[in-house]
Amino acid sequence: IDSTQQQWVTNEFETADKKLPLILALHHPIYSFDVFHSGSSKMADVLENAIRDTGRVPNLVLSGHVHDYQRIEQKIAPGGPTPFIVCGNGGYHNLHQVHSQPGTKADDTGAVLKYAAVKWGFMTLTIDKDHISGVTMEIDRTGAPPKQGDTFQYSAKPITLANPKSVPTL
């Protein structure tokens, strides 16, 4: 990530409609409880800088790269956690194992693993004026019908920090 890329992300946060939820999509996850891939400290720095410079906090952070499904929460703003979803279980033949159970807190950041699935699947998001809701479907190798996996709901109300310099280290 160079300064031009950081400026672009920060500008996107700054100019995004202040009345709408903000969803950040990245390739590399900021957090991961995967055995092959840790979270990206570079992406964490990008997000931290954008929040500090604008006061805007994403309602949801989506990523892939890791070949499993994880929903992780991190407390950034008052009023509730920010969800970080790793949805990389769309079909790669070698799914990655997760090294922790739901409820595990990362020692270095305090991010909490809320749900993990080492199964192929997909996620559907629904966004209305009040909520961002999601449901995952999990598919196994036997050809059995898909099964519902994770479900979640978070606020779709825009999130702005009164003191952007107070953002925790991600």
Side-chain angles (χ1 to χ4, degrees), residues 9-70:
V9 172
T10 299
N11 184 62
E12 291 296 306
F13 274 47
E14 183 64 39
T15 59
D17 190 327
K18 307 289 190 270
K19 294 179 247 157
L20 295 175
L22 179 64
I23 297 174
L24 176 63
L26 306 166
H27 177 77
H28 289 200
I30 290 175
Y31 302 112
S32 177
F33 287 79
D34 180 87
V35 297
F36 293 110
H37 300 286
S38 61
S40 171
S41 60
K42 291 179 182 178
M43 293 296 100
D45 289 345
V46 168
L47 177 57
E48 238 178 87
N49 289 331
I51 294 170
R52 283 198 177 113
D53 289 346
T54 67
R56 280 300 295 272
V57 176
N59 295 72
L60 176 66
V61 179
L62 298 171
S63 62
H65 186 67
V66 175
H67 298 286
D68 54 34
Y69 172 84
Q70 302 172 58

Side-chain angles (χ1 to χ4, degrees), residues 4 30 77 97 135:
T4 302
I30 290 175
Q97 297 301 307
V135 62

Side-chain angles (χ1 to χ4, degrees), residues 63-64 66-70 85-96 115-125 134-142 144-150 152:
S63 62
V66 175
H67 298 286
D68 54 34
Y69 172 84
Q70 302 172 58
I85 295 178
V86 178
C87 193
N89 59 335
Y92 182 66
H93 70 94
N94 186 23
L95 293 173
H96 296 169
Y115 191 95
V118 183
K119 294 186 177 193
W120 290 285
F122 60 92
M123 177 177 62
T124 303
L125 290 175
V135 62
T136 65
M137 298 301 290
E138 297 174 355
I139 303 164
D140 65 25
R141 290 180 190 244
T142 67
K147 293 183 180 175
Q148 182 176 304
D150 190 24
F152 56 85

Side-chain angles (χ1 to χ4, degrees), residues 89-111:
N89 59 335
Y92 182 66
H93 70 94
N94 186 23
L95 293 173
H96 296 169
Q97 297 301 307
V98 176
H99 62 64
S100 300
Q101 295 296 315
T104 301
K105 185 183 282 192
D107 293 334
D108 53 343
T109 64

